[in-house]
């Protein structure tokens, strides 16, 4: 997802309903008032047992940890910790972990909160679920559409998650096929990646576009795919997704607002104590910050940081944005915005990422995908932001995008925050990872590319040899690059322990191993969900490890993960409790 198109669902509509959104937020907050159980204890709690601190990015086990208010008071041997507590003259209680284990809270460095809130729990919305394996074939997707036609002939039919790279025969819904389902109801199907969507004629007409070439307002951009006759095929990509999504009904967003807090709680149940949104602002511009800040203003949730989608800053004007917001971070309540996210290319499984060689089954247009920016335009955007200290986060799936990003970041130089490349998926050689390391640029991988899409990368997208090198985890470790693992939710589920399993085994969902020479050790994988992402966020002074003076953000696991066979944490090691700032999230 990482297309700001999918994020845009629908900024235009939401701008008109700010008061309605604010009322919804107030109602939600009033229904869940805060009480003493949502505040850290004034007494000291001593945890005795196995504490994997991840200090310096290594397990570094200790046998005790003391918590006071929202801070770690002491870590070390039980005798040293109890002695440190005795010097405070504060009441204390000791909690024996038994066979359980404490680790630092997991840092999820790349999610999309509002999108996830919109596109999960779909049973309670009019949005159809077309994710794989719910939908395995194009005919089954068409049958679902046909059985879901509203009585009102103008009501939109919206679906999320159809993925041609995963379904049988890898077929895309075409304009004519979707027109056979509905001629008056607009149809809008969002690809799982967010970089593509599929529309019928009624949807294009709702947006003011004809489907036949030569007619007034016919969209000439390559982002509106054309058939062999030069007419619209029904497939839209990248910025065209943004445009089409701008016409979706605003009634969808009551569900989105209501689902934000449950989404954050679900992520906390998976051990996440900090989440980082890589595209704030594409629903209602800068008002997105107020939406999220309002919804997490009471009770405890994972810490929330993020970067603004570049479109928001570009539309505002970079200089005007900098005049208004100066240097980062821009803090609103519990939300901290520290940078800007720029999409350099598209989706690998969607065949729009800027890879170095042609795709195994290349699209007619742009058989190696395409870059979204000319290098001069990218430099013009990045330089003033970086000079003011804003973190630059670049979506770069394909090797050509990674190269372009590194070229620009090399000219910009190091900043207040570590600049980052996101996904770093296909046609990425070790030399590029070494270059990222030398430039102090962080890399972050969507781990589900291996697990969920591994087979289709081998058989349909890249071919066997290129697929073995997607998301080169071992190259990250061997070069000393600062790497992390993420979900890109809602592209894949937030589940850090599963990220560890995948990084360690490189197993796909069908049980095969994709690129065994890119597997890493469990300790290295834990670094990718704790220490390293905290460093990438510029937050290692507060989170990412369990050390004296840091925030009391930690996870209690059912068992010491070092005792679990490799690749079996999912099912063999459970998150029992998640604590943020000394408060348990329930």
């Amino acid at each position: 997802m990482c297309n700001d198109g999918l994020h845009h669902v629908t900024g235009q509509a939401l701008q008109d309903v700010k008061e309605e959104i604010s009322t919804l937020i107030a109602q939600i907050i009033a229904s869940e008032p805060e009480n003493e159980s949502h505040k850290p204890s004034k007494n000291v709690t001593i945890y005795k047992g196995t504490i994997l601190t991840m200090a310096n990015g290594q397990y570094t086990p200790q046998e005790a940890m003391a918590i006071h208010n929202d801070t770690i008071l002491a870590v070390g041997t039980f005798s040293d910790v109890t002695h440190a507590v005795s010097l405070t003259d504060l009441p204390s209680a000791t909690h024996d972990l038994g066979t359980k284990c404490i680790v630092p809270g997991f840092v999820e460095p790349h999610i999309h909160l509002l999108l996830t809130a919109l596109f999960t729990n779909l049973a309670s919305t009019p949005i159809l679920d077309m994710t794989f394996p719910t939908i395995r074939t194009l005919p089954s997707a068409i049958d679902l559409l046909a059985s879901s036609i509203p009585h009102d002939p103008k009501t939109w039919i919206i679906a999320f998650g159809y993925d041609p790279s995963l379904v049988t025969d890898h077929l895309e819904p075409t304009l004519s096929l979707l027109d056979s389902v509905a001629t008056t109801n607009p149809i809008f199907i969002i690809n799982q990646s967010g970089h593509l969507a599929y529309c019928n004629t009624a949807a294009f007409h709702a947006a003011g576009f004809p489907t036949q070439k030569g007619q007034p307002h016919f969209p000439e951009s390559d982002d509106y795919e054309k058939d062999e006759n030069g007419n619209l095929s029904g497939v839209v990509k990248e910025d065209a997704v943004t445009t089409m999504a701008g016409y979706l009904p605003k009634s969808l967003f009551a569900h989105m607002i209501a689902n934000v807090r449950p989404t954050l709680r679900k992520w906390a149940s998976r051990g996440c104590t900090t989440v980082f949104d890589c595209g704030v602002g594409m629903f209602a511009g800068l008002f997105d910050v107020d939406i999220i800040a309002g919804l997490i203003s009471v009770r405890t949730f994972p810490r929330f940081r993020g970067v603004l989608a570049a479109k928001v800053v570009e539309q505002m004007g970079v200089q005007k944005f900098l005049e208004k917001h100066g240097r980062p971070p821009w803090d609103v309540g519990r939300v901290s915005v520290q940078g800007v996210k720029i999409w350099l290319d598209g989706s690998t499984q969607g065949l729009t990422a800027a890879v170095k060689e042609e795709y195994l089954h290349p699209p007619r247009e742009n058989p190696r995908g395409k870059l979204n920016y000319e290098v001069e335009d990218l430099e013009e955007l990045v330089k003033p932001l970086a000079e003011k200290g804003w973190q630059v986060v670049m979506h770069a799936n394909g090797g050509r995008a990674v190269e372009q990003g590194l070229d620009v970041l090399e000219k910009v130089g190091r900043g207040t925050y570590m600049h980052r490349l996101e996904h770093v998926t296909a046609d990425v050689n070790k030399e590029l990872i070494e270059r990222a390391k030398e430039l102090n640029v962080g890399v972050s991988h969507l781990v589900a590319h291996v697990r969920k899409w591994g087979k289709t990368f081998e058989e349909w997208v890249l071919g066997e040899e290129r697929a073995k090198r997607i998301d080169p985890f071992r190259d990250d470790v061997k070069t000393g690059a600062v790497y992390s693992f993420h979900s890109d939710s809602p592209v894949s589920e937030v589940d850090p322990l599963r990220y560890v399993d995948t990084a360690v085994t490189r197993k796909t969902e069908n049980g095969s191993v994709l690129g065994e020479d890119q597997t890493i050790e469990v300790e290295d994988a834990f670094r990718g969900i704790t220490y390293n992402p905290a460093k990438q966020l510029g937050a290692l002074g507060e989170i990412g490890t369990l050390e004296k003076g840091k925030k009391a953000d930690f996870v209690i696991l059912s068992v010491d993960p070092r005792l679990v066979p490799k690749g079996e944490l999912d099912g063999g090691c459970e998150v029992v409790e998640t604590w943020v700032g000394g408060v348990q999230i329930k």
Side-chain angles (χ1 to χ4, degrees), residues 117-118 120-127 251-252 254-256 258-259:
L118 179 60
T120 53
N121 297 331
L122 295 183
S124 61
T125 77
I127 301 173
S251 58
L252 296 173
H255 165 76
M256 180 188 77
N259 202 30

Side-chain angles (χ1 to χ4, degrees), residues 391-414:
Q391 184 178 37
V392 177
V393 176
M394 293 178 168
H395 167 114
N397 259 313
R400 288 191 294 133
V402 172
E403 284 184 341
Q404 185 188 57
L406 290 173
D407 288 344
V408 171
L409 292 176
E410 183 172 14
K411 293 181 180 180
V412 167
R414 302 188 182 197

Side-chain angles (χ1 to χ4, degrees), residues 85-124:
V85 172
S86 70
L87 299 177
T88 67
D89 292 326
L90 292 168
S92 65
T94 299
H95 180 76
D96 194 322
L97 292 171
T99 59
K100 299 184 182 73
C101 176
I102 286 180
V103 296
F106 303 146
V107 180
E108 165 53 89
H110 190 137
I111 50 85
H112 301 277
L113 175 58
L114 296 183
L115 277 174
T116 305
L118 179 60
F119 292 120
T120 53
N121 297 331
L122 295 183
S124 61

Side-chain angles (χ1 to χ4, degrees), residues 368-403:
R368 296 191 300 151
K370 72 170 187 174
L371 294 166
N372 293 333
Y373 288 85
E374 297 294 336
V375 69
E376 296 81 7
D377 296 332
L378 185 59
E379 289 178 17
E380 185 178 349
L381 172 61
V382 167
K383 187 175 180 181
L385 293 166
E387 287 177 346
K388 286 291 187 179
W390 291 85
Q391 184 178 37
V392 177
V393 176
M394 293 178 168
H395 167 114
N397 259 313
R400 288 191 294 133
V402 172
E403 284 184 341

